[in-house]
Amino acid sequence: MPTALTNSGGDGGHIDTGSAAGDAAIDSAGDDENNRYEDEDNGLDEYAANEGLNLSRIGENRAHLDDGYCLLDYYDDPDFDPDGQWSPVDPAITNITFNGAKRDQWRYAKSELQQIEASCIRLFGTQNPTKHDVAKYFFGPSSPLFILFRNRLGMNHKEFLDFMSTNNTLAEGQSASQLYDTDFPNDLTGLMEKLEYTAWWRKISVEGVPDSSTTSVTFQKLFWEEVEETINKLLRALFIEGRSGRIINLIDDDKFHHESRPSNNKQFNVKMIKLVRDNRWGMVQDTNCAPSLLFAVNILTHRRKSKQIDNTKMQLFGSAYGDDPARAPNLSFLHMHMDRGYSFEKQHQETLAPAQMGTTYTTRSYNVPFVNYGQTPKHGDKRIYLAEGGISSLRMMKKNCHGRLIVCGAFNTGTAVVLYNSTEHRTMQMDFVTTTEHVGELLHNDRQQLRERGFAMEESIATGIAEKKHIHQKYMQLFFQLPIIQVTVCSNHREWHLTRRTSFTSKQTYSQIAILRKRFVDLDNEDVRRVMKFMYKKTYSFTGRQAEKERQDQAVEEAANDDGEDPISFESNRSIQELMAAQDDEFTVEEKVRRDLHGFRDLMCYDSGEDFAHDVLNSASGDYLAEFLRQVRCSLPATRTHRILLERCMKYVEEPLLTRDYVLRNKKDLGDIYKRKHGKQATGSWGVKKLIEKITEDVDEEALEDVSFEQDVMNTIVAQMCLPHLSDAAKEACEKGHEMEPVYSKHLMKLSKEKRIPLVIEDISSVGIVEKSGESQTKASVDRILGISEDGDSKLCLCEFKARVKQLQAQKEQDRIHLLRGNDLMGEDDIFVEMNADDPLSYLGIAKPDECLQVLHHAYTYSMSECLHAVGDTRELMSVCKMTFSQELLESYGRVLVLLYNAGLNIFYRDAADDDIDADDTEMKRIEKAVEKQKATFQEGMTRFEFNYRLVRKLLRPANLPLPPCSQILPFALGSWNIMKPSGDMITQMIWSANYHPPINNAQTALVKKLAHQIPMYTFHRLCQMLSRSRPLNDFRSILSYRNHVRKDLPFWKSIKHLTSILRSMSAEYDPERPLPPAAAARNQITTPNGVPVWHDHFPSSGSSPQRYRSNYYGNDDNSHLFAWQRRHRCIGLVHVMCDENGKPLREKKCAQCNKDGATWYCGTCRLFFHNTPRTSRSRETGAGIPVMAASTGKRKADGSEIFTFARFTCSDQWHYPARQQCYTNSTSSGDSITQPIPSHSIVQFDPNVHNSCSNLSFEDAEDTITTGGDD
C-alpha cells in the first residue's frame, strides 16, 4: 500500500497520507432529508432517509444472519459477564436540541467532502479532477480492475472498455433483447457484439471455479473474490487513506437477490439464504459506507459457513482499516453505527472493544439483561419492566465495560421499545426533528422570521401578491402588540401536544370546571357560578343546583347506613348462635341453610368450597338447594330439577370470595348494586362480567378519605398529559375536521366579499399556541385570527371552527339554526348571528358547554372581548356566531383559573422545578396517587411522569420559544443513528434502480456484475456530483440543500450516460500498434571473463516479466510499450528443427560448422544445418572444455566483481557469431562491444475471416471464439 494506516494516539485516530486537507476534527453527528427525490426524466429515483423512527424492523428475524436457517449465529456462546454492573444514568435531561443530529452531521460531511476531494487530487494527479479522471481511475489502462481482468481473463483494454460500456448501456434501462434487436438495430459503436458479450460472461462464470481435476497445487482464487479485493483497495485509497479527524461510518447489510439454492452454489463459496421479508433466495453483503455522503467504503460478501463476528473482523481489520483480520488496529478515531444484527455481546468483546472504536447501535433485549419488556413481570423478577404502550419515555443505564463507559438506552415510542447502546452519547439529551430544514435554521439564525411564520396568511381580500403582503403585514403588527407570547408557530405537531401538558388549555380547564360542578363549588363561589351559568345556560339554575346537592347528600348518607337491598325474610326467629348450638334434627330446611351458609362464609365448619360441596350440597335435597339459592339472593330457575339447582349452588361455592355474592345475580340487580355503590348509572353496553368487575374494583380506603378537591384537580392534570386513544371513527372525524378548516376559511372570506356577514374580513391567518403574558400556565390554540376593517380602523378577531362531519350532528345544528330564526335572532337567508354571553338565549349561538368555554378561554388568553364561533358540515359553513363577553365574565373566569391553579397546577410552575418537582410530601403523595390512577399512560409510574415533566419544563424555557414544528422527538443517540441507518439502504436502492441481468446467470456473474461494474458506476456518480458542484460548501446550510443541489445538477441517469460516453471515447482512442519508445541509452561496456564470447542477444532483466498467466500477458497488445512484451514479439527466430512428415527429426545431416553428422537445426536464411548442442566429449579435442558464452546480469558480488549468466556456445551460435556481433553491437575504438536496442520488425495482422473456423458458432457456443493469446 502506498499509504499506511496509523494512529495518532490520544483521544482520536489519524490516517496519515501527508495531505493537509481536512485536519480539523469534529465532535458530533448527523443529517438526512425527509424527502424522496424522483427524477422525472427517466424514473430513476434518488432516495433519501425518512426521519421518522423506523419501527418496522424491530423484532423481526434477520435471516441473513442465520446459521443454517433458524438459529442465529450470534446466539453461539453468549457472554453476559460484563466488567461492571449496570447503574442508572442521572435522569436529568442535560440538553434539548433542534435538528442537533442533522447539524452535527453536516459539519462532519463538510470535513469529509474536503478530505475526499484532497484524496482525488492526490490519486488522479491533477488539481482539477474531472469525470474523465474518475473514469480512468476505475476503468483506465493502469486501473487494478482492468489489470485483474487482463491477467485472469485475457482481456485487452479495448475489450474491457467495450464490455463495461455494454454493461452501462444495459444499466440505462435498455434490455439486452432491445439492444441487440435485429429488426431495429442499434448503434453498437464502442459496444460488444452479442456473441462476444455472452462469451465473456460465460468465461467469467467459470473463472477460478474448482472442478474435479483441481488440486491444491493448481487451485486459484475465485474470480469474484479477487474482484472484491481489488474494488475494496480502490475504495480504500479514495475514502479511507488520507483521512484525519473523527470519522463516522455505518455498517449495514445488503440483501442481494439471486434465485438459486445453496446446494447449487457450493463451488462459489457464497452463503445462500432465504430472505425473510420477501421470501426470496439471495446473498448478503456487509456494506461499510460513509453515511453522510452516501459513499460505499468497503464491501464484504458473506462466505459459506462464516459467522457474523468473523465477517466483521475481516471487513474492519483485514480489509477496510487494516490488513490482518486477527489483529485489531487502533480505531479510536472511528464512530461506527450499526443495527442490532451486529450488536451482540461477543461482537463487542472481540471486535468493537479491542479496536477502541466508538459505537452506536440498536440492540436486542437479551443483550440488556436488566430490562424486561414485552413479557409479563413474574414474582421475584428484579429487572426493569418497560411496557410497550403508554406515554413516551427514556430510561438509561451505564456500566464500565472493557475499559470504557457504555450506556444502554430504552426509548418507549408508545407502540414499541427501542433499545440502543452507545459509547458516544452517554447523557439524557433529546433531539427535536423539525418538519423542514428551513424552520430549524430559523430557530437558530432568524428568530423574528420564525415568529412571523407563527402568524401565517391563509386567505386575503387582495389579489396581487404585493397587496396581500402589505395587508398581512398590517395585521401582523397588531398581532405582535397583543399581550401574549408565542409558544409554537403551528398546530397539531409533536411540540404542540407537548406544550399543552400541565397547562390551562380550554380542554384542561373544562375538565377541571367539571370537578367544580361535581363538588357544587358554584353554590359558594360567585365567579364559578357566573362561568358555569354561561356554559350551562340552558339547564343551569341556582335553586336547582341547591336541590341537587341536597339529594346527593341524602343519597350518600343512606348509602353509608344501608347497602340498599331489602333484608332476607326468615320464618324462624332463632338467632345464629342458637342455630349453631342446636342439633340437626331440630332444624327446618330454612334454618339448616342459614346455619350451613354462616359456617361456610365464616370458614368455621368448612375449610373450602370443595369441602362444603362434598359434605353438604351433593347429598342435599331439592328443597334444600332451592332455599340455598333464595338465601344467596339468586332467583330460582324456571326448570327446578335437582341437577340444575345443584349446578347453580356449586357455581356459587366455587366462585372466589370477592365475586361470590354477585355471580348468580342477573344484569338488572347488578346494575342497581353498581348505582348504589358509585352513585351513577352503569353503562348500558356492560355485560354481567363487566358489571361484576366494576362492582368489585378495589377501592383505596385512604384515597376515599382524601378525595379532596386538590386530589381531584391533580387527577385531572395528570390524566390530560396524554391524549386518549380514539376509535377509528373518532380519528377519522377528527382528521376530517382539521381538513375542513382551510375550506371554512375560504368560505368565510367569500361570505365577507359577498357581504352576507356584517364583517369586512381582509386577512385570515393561522397561529399556533400562545400563552398569556404574566400567566405562563394559561395557553390557547385558536384555529384562525381574522383581520377586520371596521369604520376605517383595523382590528383582530379570534375565530374557532367546528366541523359536524356526521349526519346526526349536522341535523342538530340545523335544528339550532331553526330555533335562532324562530326567535328572530337570525334571518331566513342569513348564517350570521351576534350575541352577548350574558344573553339568556346565548346557548342558541353556541350550544355545547365545552365549546362555550373554549371561546371564553380564547378571549381571556388573548385579552379580547369577542370571538367568532363558526360551524360547518363537510361542504361549507352553516352558521357563524360572534360571541361578545363582558368584562365581569372575563375577570370571573380569570379568578376561576387562579382558584384551579392554586389547587394543584402551581406545583409545576415553581422556580426550582426545572429539573425536579418542587413539592412537599403531601403534594408528592397527591401526584403519585394521580399517576397510579393513570397506569395505562404511565406504565412505570413516577419514572415516566418525571421524564415527561422534565422534558416539558426544558422545552418551554424562554430561550427555545417559539418552537418550530417538529415531526419527531428522539434521544440524541437514536436521532443520530436514525439518520445514518438509511444510507446503506439508499445505496442499495440506487444500484437496483439501474439493475440489469447478465446473459449467464450464476452466483459469480451476479457478484462480478455488482462489484466490478455497479459499485464503480455508483461511485463514479457520487464523485462526479462532488467534483462538479458549482457552489462552495459554505453556501449550503445542511446536507439536504447540498444533496438537492448536486442531484439537480447531475442525477444518476445522467452520470450513467456520461460514463458510457467516456468509455466509448476511450475505446475509440485505443491503438494496439503503439510505436516503440525512444532508443534507450547505451549500456555500459561488456567485458566477459577469460575471453568468453559475448552472449549478444541476452538482454538485461526488465523486472516486468510475467511469472503467472504468461499467455494472457503476451497476448495483450496493451503491453506493447513494455520491454518484456517487445522481447517476446519483435524477435524473429531463424533456426528450425527439420523433421519428416511424421515429425521425426532428420539426424543424417552434417553440421556446416564442425562438419560432423547428427545436425538437426536448420537455418532458413543460410539454408544450412547445425548442431543444437555442443559436441560431445568424444568429439572434442583432449582437454577442451564445453564452449560457452556469457552475458552480464547487471549485478555484483560483495567484492564488487560482476555476476554473469552463461549459455552453451553451440555450432549454430558459432556460425552466426560474426553476423550477430555486427547486428547487436557497435565496435568502439577500444574494441569492446556495446549492446544496442532490439531491432524493430513489423507485425503480421491476423485476419479472423480467414483463420477463424468457428465464426458460425451459435450464441450459446460463442465463448469458444475468444482468443486468449499465444503461448509464451
Side-chain angles (χ1 to χ4, degrees):
M1 291 180 56
T3 304
L5 299 183
T6 61
N7 293 301
S8 62
D11 59 353
H14 180 69
I15 303 180
D16 186 17
T17 60
S19 172
D23 289 336
I26 308 174
D27 302 322
S28 305
D31 182 15
D32 226 309
E33 56 259 43
N34 188 29
N35 301 304
R36 169 182 169 180
Y37 296 127
E38 180 171 333
D39 196 286
E40 299 178 355
D41 292 338
N42 70 345
L44 292 182
D45 296 342
E46 292 207 29
Y47 295 86
N50 182 358
E51 292 168 342
L53 184 62
N54 184 3
L55 305 179
S56 62
R57 303 173 72 178
I58 293 176
E60 77 176 24
N61 185 28
R62 306 298 293 277
H64 68 280
L65 297 174
D66 291 0
D67 190 18
Y69 301 104
C70 58
L71 183 62
L72 298 178
D73 62 5
Y74 43 76
Y75 277 107
D76 299 343
D77 304 323
D79 187 353
F80 297 134
D81 186 20
D83 299 339
Q85 297 296 322
W86 290 102
S87 60
V89 173
D90 184 0
I93 297 178
T94 58
N95 192 22
I96 282 179
T97 60
F98 293 87
N99 293 340
K102 289 184 174 185
R103 291 164 63 84
D104 289 346
Q105 188 190 22
W106 175 232
R107 293 207 303 269
Y108 272 106
K110 287 194 290 187
S111 175
E112 193 171 9
L113 281 167
Q114 294 168 355
Q115 295 185 41
I116 293 176
E117 286 178 1
S119 295
C120 291
I121 292 172
R122 171 175 52 84
L123 292 172
F124 302 161
T126 176
Q127 290 297 319
N128 298 302
T130 63
K131 299 180 181 68
H132 288 74
D133 297 319
V134 180
K136 288 180 181 178
Y137 180 75
F138 287 105
F139 305 110
S142 301
S143 166
L145 190 60
F146 159 64
I147 293 174
L148 174 65
F149 271 70
R150 182 189 65 193
N151 293 342
R152 291 294 298 265
L153 304 176
M155 273 190 181
N156 61 37
H157 195 221
K158 178 174 175 56
E159 292 169 333
F160 178 74
L161 294 173
D162 293 347
F163 181 72
M164 291 300 175
S165 296
T166 307
N167 293 334
N168 244 42
T169 303
L170 296 177
E172 292 177 18
Q174 193 173 23
S175 66
S177 59
Q178 293 173 330
L179 180 64
Y180 294 113
D181 187 77
T182 56
D183 296 332
F184 300 95
N186 294 284
D187 181 15
L188 300 182
T189 304
L191 305 180
M192 277 190 168
E193 295 290 343
K194 183 177 182 180
L195 295 179
E196 187 179 11
Y197 180 69
T198 306
W200 280 116
W201 274 116
R202 182 168 281 111
K203 187 168 186 181
I204 289 172
S205 68
V206 298
E207 178 62 25
V209 178
D211 54 25
S212 57
S213 62
T214 303
T215 64
S216 59
V217 178
T218 61
F219 176 76
Q220 281 185 309
K221 253 187 183 178
L222 287 164
F223 185 58
W224 73 262
E225 293 180 324
E226 278 205 73
V227 172
E228 184 180 82
E229 291 178 8
T230 303
I231 198 66
N232 281 335
K233 289 178 181 178
L234 289 170
L235 296 176
R236 173 171 165 170
L238 273 172
F239 304 124
I240 297 179
E241 296 174 358
R243 296 285 302 277
S244 62
R246 195 71 169 155
I247 298 177
I248 295 183
N249 276 3
L250 165 80
I251 292 183
D252 194 20
D253 54 286
D254 172 18
K255 287 81 171 178
F256 187 46
H257 292 116
H258 176 67
E259 294 298 333
S260 181
R261 294 179 176 274
S263 57
N264 300 333
N265 292 274
K266 292 181 179 179
Q267 70 273 28
F268 297 114
N269 192 28
V270 178
K271 179 185 281 188
M272 301 296 299
I273 52 91
K274 178 168 284 191
L275 306 176
V276 172
R277 174 172 292 183
D278 44 16
N279 197 30
R280 294 174 62 185
W281 288 97
M283 300 166 277
V284 175
Q285 292 177 323
D286 288 340
T287 304
N288 183 0
C289 59
S292 300
L293 302 178
L294 305 177
F295 284 117
V297 171
N298 188 275
I299 298 172
L300 181 85
T301 306
H302 288 205
R303 271 69 168 174
R304 290 184 68 240
K305 300 181 180 180
S306 62
K307 302 285 186 180
Q308 181 60 52
I309 188 171
D310 299 326
N311 293 332
T312 306
K313 285 182 179 180
M314 174 61 70
Q315 185 167 31
L316 296 180
F317 302 166
S319 181
Y321 307 104
D323 299 314
D324 185 0
R327 180 176 176 272
N330 184 355
L331 301 181
S332 57
F333 57 86
L334 183 65
H335 182 189
M336 186 66 72
H337 287 74
M338 299 173 287
D339 63 11
R340 58 188 175 82
Y342 305 87
S343 59
F344 43 99
E345 184 71 16
K346 190 174 181 181
Q347 178 85 280
H348 181 74
Q349 289 182 347
E350 297 186 11
T351 308
L352 308 179
Q356 302 179 31
M357 72 174 72
T359 53
T360 298
Y361 50 83
T362 55
T363 186
R364 292 176 178 270
S365 58
Y366 66 79
N367 283 332
V368 190
F370 66 89
V371 172
N372 170 23
Y373 76 92
Q375 300 177 3
T376 303
K378 298 180 180 179
H379 179 71
D381 191 349
K382 298 181 179 180
R383 296 178 297 169
I384 298 175
Y385 176 72
L386 297 177
E388 296 183 339
I391 197 169
S392 296
S393 65
L394 174 63
R395 295 284 293 272
M396 292 179 67
M397 304 290 282
K398 64 181 179 180
K399 73 173 180 178
N400 286 312
C401 185
H402 306 289
R404 60 180 182 169
L405 183 65
I406 186 170
V407 301
C408 175
F411 180 61
N412 179 282
T413 66
T415 56
V417 177
V418 184
L419 300 175
Y420 69 89
N421 285 352
S422 181
T423 61
E424 304 296 305
H425 309 292
R426 301 192 291 261
T427 58
M428 300 279 284
Q429 182 177 359
M430 300 299 293
D431 190 28
F432 285 66
V433 183
T434 58
T435 54
T436 64
E437 295 280 352
H438 183 59
V439 295
E441 291 295 327
L442 292 180
L443 179 67
H444 298 284
N445 303 323
D446 194 345
R447 194 70 63 91
Q448 180 57 32
Q449 187 177 347
L450 183 62
R451 292 190 182 97
E452 293 175 0
R453 280 177 169 257
F455 187 75
M457 177 180 64
E458 187 173 73
E459 294 293 332
S460 178
I461 194 173
T463 55
I465 296 178
E467 188 179 359
K468 285 182 179 180
K469 289 183 178 179
H470 175 73
I471 295 175
H472 183 69
Q473 192 67 29
K474 176 177 62 175
Y475 291 105
M476 183 182 294
Q477 293 175 1
L478 295 177
F479 176 76
F480 288 140
Q481 293 172 8
L482 294 174
I484 57 173
I485 298 173
Q486 288 177 283
V487 179
T488 69
V489 298
C490 293
S491 300
N492 299 317
H493 290 282
R494 297 298 179 91
E495 82 293 342
W496 183 81
H497 294 289
L498 270 180
T499 53
R500 292 165 58 88
R501 297 175 183 175
T502 61
S503 300
F504 279 135
T505 61
S506 59
K507 184 174 182 178
Q508 178 79 269
T509 308
Y510 178 76
S511 300
Q512 296 190 28
I513 287 181
I515 298 174
L516 300 178
R517 186 168 183 256
K518 182 181 71 172
R519 292 182 170 274
F520 298 95
V521 179
D522 55 310
L523 298 180
D524 301 322
N525 190 305
E526 185 178 354
D527 294 320
V528 176
R529 189 185 315 134
R530 183 176 288 114
V531 172
M532 292 180 61
K533 187 176 180 180
F534 167 65
M535 293 171 58
Y536 305 99
K537 187 158 293 183
K538 183 178 180 180
T539 59
Y540 187 83
S541 168
F542 182 73
T543 56
R545 290 282 293 165
Q546 287 179 322
E548 184 181 354
K549 185 176 186 304
E550 292 175 359
R551 288 194 301 270
Q552 182 176 346
D553 292 342
Q554 183 179 0
V556 170
E557 183 178 356
E558 292 176 354
N561 297 329
D562 187 8
D563 60 2
E565 292 187 300
D566 295 333
I568 298 175
S569 61
F570 295 105
E571 296 179 359
S572 172
N573 295 324
R574 288 200 290 180
S575 65
I576 195 67
Q577 290 80 10
E578 294 174 338
L579 293 176
M580 296 300 296
Q583 300 297 323
D584 288 347
D585 54 359
E586 300 176 0
F587 292 128
T588 64
V589 173
E590 175 191 278
E591 292 174 337
K592 184 173 177 60
V593 171
R594 282 185 65 196
R595 188 193 70 166
D596 291 343
L597 269 175
H598 178 77
F600 171 61
R601 287 170 175 167
D602 291 350
L603 299 179
M604 296 173 61
C605 303
Y606 305 98
D607 293 332
S608 67
E610 294 180 0
D611 296 335
F612 182 82
H614 181 270
D615 296 344
V616 177
L617 296 179
N618 287 331
S619 59
S621 63
D623 293 338
Y624 179 94
L625 296 177
E627 179 63 22
F628 182 89
L629 292 175
R630 185 185 75 85
Q631 292 191 24
V632 297
R633 298 180 183 275
C634 176
S635 58
L636 294 176
T639 304
R640 301 181 184 181
T641 63
H642 186 275
R643 181 180 62 81
I644 293 177
L645 292 173
L646 179 61
E647 287 177 355
R648 294 181 69 82
C649 294
M650 294 288 287
K651 184 177 182 180
Y652 175 84
V653 299
E654 291 173 357
E655 189 72 13
L657 179 63
L658 184 64
T659 58
R660 182 177 295 153
D661 290 336
Y662 310 106
V663 69
L664 297 179
R665 304 289 186 97
N666 57 36
K667 184 176 179 179
K668 180 179 181 300
D669 291 342
L670 292 174
D672 294 340
I673 295 172
Y674 178 84
K675 183 178 181 181
R676 288 193 298 270
K677 186 173 182 180
H678 295 278
K680 59 182 179 181
Q681 291 285 352
T683 303
S685 61
W686 289 351
V688 172
K689 185 176 180 181
K690 184 70 172 180
L691 281 167
I692 294 175
E693 289 179 2
K694 291 293 182 180
I695 292 171
T696 58
E697 279 182 342
D698 292 334
V699 179
D700 189 348
E701 297 296 334
E702 187 177 358
L704 287 175
E705 296 174 2
D706 191 31
V707 178
S708 61
F709 170 63
E710 290 79 7
Q711 184 64 54
D712 272 349
V713 171
M714 184 58 65
N715 292 344
T716 304
I717 293 172
V718 174
Q720 292 293 329
M721 286 192 69
C722 187
L723 296 178
H725 289 286
L726 301 176
S727 64
D728 293 340
K731 286 181 181 179
E732 184 179 357
C734 184
E735 292 174 359
K736 184 63 177 179
H738 289 301
E739 290 176 4
M740 292 304 299
E741 289 178 3
V743 178
Y744 294 161
S745 294
K746 287 181 179 293
H747 191 210
L748 191 61
M749 180 62 72
K750 180 181 178 182
L751 293 174
S752 175
K753 290 179 179 180
E754 295 174 353
K755 298 183 180 181
R756 294 181 59 190
I757 58 176
L759 299 175
V760 181
I761 303 175
E762 295 185 331
D763 183 87
I764 301 179
S765 301
S766 62
V767 293
I769 293 180
V770 301
E771 66 180 37
K772 189 176 181 66
S773 295
E775 299 181 25
S776 58
Q777 72 276 8
T778 305
K779 298 181 176 66
S781 176
V782 68
D783 289 336
R784 298 295 184 272
I785 293 184
L786 312 181
I788 297 176
S789 176
E790 189 174 275
D791 298 331
D793 295 332
S794 299
K795 70 173 187 177
L796 298 176
C797 182
L798 308 176
C799 182
E800 184 69 24
F801 291 129
K802 293 298 175 183
R804 311 302 188 209
V805 297
K806 295 182 179 180
Q807 186 175 1
L808 180 61
Q809 294 175 338
Q811 184 58 49
K812 289 182 178 179
E813 288 301 318
Q814 291 289 358
D815 295 341
R816 181 182 63 83
I817 294 172
H818 180 72
L819 291 175
L820 282 171
R821 290 169 178 165
N823 287 275
D824 296 329
L825 298 175
M826 180 187 292
E828 280 298 322
D829 298 328
D830 295 337
I831 66 170
F832 182 83
V833 61
E834 186 171 357
M835 307 193 75
N836 191 288
D838 297 330
D839 192 324
L841 295 178
S842 63
Y843 68 90
L844 294 178
I846 305 176
K848 294 186 176 182
D850 58 332
E851 294 179 4
C852 290
L853 181 67
Q854 189 174 20
V855 295
L856 174 62
H857 184 81
H858 291 337
Y860 174 79
T861 305
Y862 278 88
S863 300
M864 293 185 179
S865 61
E866 57 189 21
C867 180
L868 286 186
H869 180 266
V871 180
D873 55 17
T874 56
R875 296 178 297 173
E876 59 184 9
L877 290 175
M878 302 169 64
S879 69
V880 179
C881 175
K882 181 181 178 182
M883 188 66 68
T884 304
F885 306 99
S886 65
Q887 190 62 30
E888 289 183 353
L889 179 59
L890 292 172
E891 291 175 356
S892 293
Y893 181 70
R895 288 190 287 270
V896 171
L897 292 183
V898 172
L899 172 65
L900 296 173
Y901 178 75
N902 294 331
L905 196 63
N906 61 335
I907 298 173
F908 306 109
Y909 284 85
R910 293 170 182 167
D911 293 339
D914 285 345
D915 295 325
D916 294 311
I917 302 174
D918 186 14
D920 56 30
D921 293 341
T922 302
E923 292 170 334
M924 282 301 299
K925 194 171 184 180
R926 200 180 299 151
I927 295 172
E928 291 171 359
K929 288 180 180 179
V931 171
E932 181 65 22
K933 196 177 178 73
Q934 301 295 326
K935 289 182 180 180
T937 300
F938 304 100
Q939 298 278 357
E940 289 86 48
M942 287 298 293
T943 303
R944 284 207 192 188
F945 178 81
E946 289 174 351
F947 169 81
N948 282 271
Y949 164 77
R950 294 188 184 99
L951 182 63
V952 174
R953 293 293 293 173
K954 205 82 172 180
L955 182 66
L956 290 179
R957 288 184 174 180
N960 295 330
L961 302 182
L963 300 173
C966 298
S967 59
Q968 287 289 328
I969 304 172
L970 301 171
F972 195 93
L974 276 181
S976 176
W977 178 86
N978 199 48
I979 57 179
M980 301 290 182
K981 176 64 180 69
S983 299
D985 297 330
M986 292 163 66
I987 293 173
T988 303
Q989 290 166 347
M990 284 282 288
I991 291 175
W992 275 97
S993 68
N995 190 38
Y996 61 95
H997 300 284
I1000 306 301
N1001 183 31
N1002 64 16
Q1004 177 148 279
T1005 56
L1007 288 169
V1008 171
K1009 175 196 69 173
K1010 181 175 181 180
L1011 295 169
H1013 175 249
Q1014 290 182 316
I1015 292 297
M1017 176 182 67
Y1018 171 80
T1019 308
F1020 171 86
H1021 164 62
R1022 292 298 182 193
L1023 287 174
C1024 290
Q1025 283 186 330
M1026 179 187 71
L1027 297 173
S1028 63
R1029 72 173 188 275
S1030 57
R1031 292 165 52 190
L1033 287 178
N1034 291 332
D1035 285 1
F1036 303 107
R1037 292 295 183 90
S1038 66
I1039 202 163
L1040 168 64
S1041 57
Y1042 166 78
R1043 288 181 181 173
N1044 195 27
H1045 170 75
V1046 298
R1047 179 195 61 85
K1048 289 181 179 178
D1049 284 353
L1050 190 64
F1052 191 28
W1053 66 266
K1054 189 175 290 186
S1055 292
I1056 297 175
K1057 289 187 175 294
H1058 277 304
L1059 181 58
T1060 304
S1061 176
I1062 293 172
L1063 294 177
R1064 286 189 173 191
S1065 64
M1066 292 171 63
S1067 176
E1069 295 171 359
Y1070 176 77
D1071 183 10
E1073 290 292 334
R1074 296 181 182 178
L1076 289 175
R1083 295 178 55 200
N1084 294 331
Q1085 296 182 358
I1086 300 175
T1087 304
T1088 57
N1090 302 323
V1092 173
V1094 176
W1095 185 355
H1096 293 105
D1097 56 351
H1098 184 278
F1099 286 84
S1101 173
S1102 64
S1104 61
S1105 300
Q1107 301 302 315
R1108 300 170 61 187
Y1109 317 120
R1110 288 190 177 93
S1111 60
N1112 296 338
Y1113 177 85
Y1114 290 121
N1116 190 351
D1117 293 343
D1118 289 338
N1119 300 325
S1120 60
H1121 63 287
L1122 301 176
F1123 185 83
W1125 191 94
Q1126 296 175 20
R1127 185 177 57 198
R1128 164 68 177 82
H1129 288 277
R1130 302 295 176 85
C1131 181
I1132 301 175
L1134 299 179
V1135 180
H1136 310 276
V1137 177
M1138 300 299 292
C1139 62
D1140 58 16
E1141 59 184 4
N1142 296 320
K1144 183 177 180 181
L1146 302 177
R1147 298 184 179 277
E1148 65 274 9
K1149 304 296 181 181
K1150 287 188 176 181
C1151 176
Q1153 174 66 23
C1154 64
N1155 202 27
K1156 301 290 186 179
D1157 294 333
T1160 58
W1161 278 17
Y1162 176 76
C1163 177
T1165 303
C1166 301
R1167 303 183 65 81
L1168 297 172
F1169 286 90
F1170 301 97
H1171 285 111
N1172 63 338
T1173 57
R1175 289 170 293 176
T1176 62
S1177 58
R1178 291 175 295 185
S1179 63
R1180 293 198 308 267
E1181 298 179 2
T1182 303
I1186 298 176
V1188 296
M1189 52 186 176
S1192 175
T1193 62
K1195 301 180 181 180
R1196 295 184 180 273
K1197 298 179 181 178
D1199 58 2
S1201 59
E1202 279 193 278
I1203 300 176
F1204 293 91
T1205 183
F1206 297 91
R1208 289 187 173 185
F1209 199 38
T1210 65
C1211 291
S1212 176
D1213 296 325
Q1214 295 177 36
W1215 178 270
H1216 293 102
Y1217 187 80
R1220 291 177 182 174
Q1221 187 175 23
Q1222 181 179 3
C1223 178
Y1224 288 104
T1225 64
N1226 289 331
S1227 298
T1228 63
S1229 58
S1230 61
D1232 295 325
S1233 61
I1234 301 177
T1235 301
Q1236 294 297 311
I1238 199 166
S1240 178
H1241 301 273
S1242 63
I1243 298 178
V1244 178
Q1245 294 292 334
F1246 177 75
D1247 186 358
N1249 294 326
V1250 177
H1251 299 281
N1252 185 8
S1253 60
C1254 302
S1255 58
N1256 293 323
L1257 288 179
S1258 64
F1259 183 77
E1260 291 75 11
D1261 298 324
E1263 77 276 5
D1264 297 332
T1265 65
I1266 294 181
T1267 304
T1268 59
D1271 296 334
D1272 191 10

